[in-house]
Amino acid sequence: MMLRTDRLVSSSKQASSHHRNLHHARSKNHNVRVPFEHNHNQKASWEQPVVTNSETNLNRHPNENMPDWTRRLVSYLNRATKEELQNVRSVESLMDTTLSLRIPIMRSALLGAYQRCESREDVERTFSNIKSVMRPPATYWTKVIASDLRGDDFTKALSRLDEMRQSKTEPDGFTWNEFVDYFRRKDQLVEGAQFLTQMSRGEQKPSRLAWIKLMFALGKNQQFDEELATLHQVLMQGFHLDTREWSIVMDSLARGERLDLVMQVYQEMKRSEVVPDTVLWTILVAAAAKQRHVDFTLTFIKEALASGPPSLSLWNTILTATSKIRHYQDAINHFNTMRTTMTPQQNAWAIAIHAYGQLGQIDTMVSLFSEMRNTGIIPDVITWGSIITNLANAKRIEVMEIIDHVRQQFPDHPELESVINQALKKMGKPY
């Protein structure tokens, strides 16, 4: 990819002309130190003296008075890719010629571009130049450490971290995140947890964000016991999780069908005095029902309903859960309660219809089915299958008419044909 620098070069030439005119206009003012033209015998532009006039001091006001061509250079550097390394070096030369490297935001953009281009040599050179004229902030150190880690030089990154501390610059959350990303790329998340634990005993304690990010990565990688151990470390460090973060942890454990760990985390959350929201209650109810754990399912439903009015999503989860654990009367009761505050969706109608059929209340089932159709909801395959099965179980002859109707509506549907064949067998009819 070739960088289109025609407009940038034109603008930069205008900027150079501006600097020459500025030098000529102010040559008689000995109290103002003016930048001078660049040549190969001079130092790099970031080593030049800074204009002391507060209106033009770009180091003091990095986002003010910045020419459009400078903004375009920063924009390009902030999105440069690995394939554009040579272009980035050309931009650096252009920036050096126009003295724009005196601007901190330009230095940061250039350092970040070389880091993304994975050119450790350029990162090291640029960072050394920066250190010669200023004390780099944490963001600069983070870019250099990221370059080391992406070059698989963990020892060098640790050395940088120590050098960073000696310069009295504290690593921020982004710095620690680079180490977490390193262990994630290497598929060494357990070693990453050990690293954060070891570092937490020293002066430079890993950030809360780094711990949380590692914990989520362990859950995504289905290392559930290690995820729980990391959660305990997070709490021991004095950090707190919000409701969303508790939800993510329990959702990963629920997806892994580790209901035992879900319950442990739930108890930890209660000790932290965090109140579950609708999303978390949905996760807990669904997780318990998926494992067919009746007591846990009913307990979660009871606590969810006591916490406040459920959302439509939570109501649907509660209905599905009670049907899974075969508490059909509870499913009907919840359906009727739900109807007093909101309009049920097809899934809710189907569960209630099936529940009445399983309880042997066939007439009520048929009546509710007709009511659903009168609301404009079109029965799906699951609802028709439930009606057919329950009518056949009750030996109701009207099931034959329904079978003919369904076969016309859903011809050669394999799952429905299986249900129909079972129903015909129960009715003693050929299939």
Side-chain angles (χ1 to χ4, degrees), residues 1 36 155 225 283 411 420:
M1 178 183 293
F36 44 88
T155 303
D225 293 315
I283 292 171
I420 290 173

Side-chain angles (χ1 to χ4, degrees), residues 57-68:
N57 189 341
L58 297 178
N59 269 317
R60 185 172 300 176
H61 304 285
N63 295 319
E64 298 178 6
N65 303 320
M66 187 185 295
D68 288 341

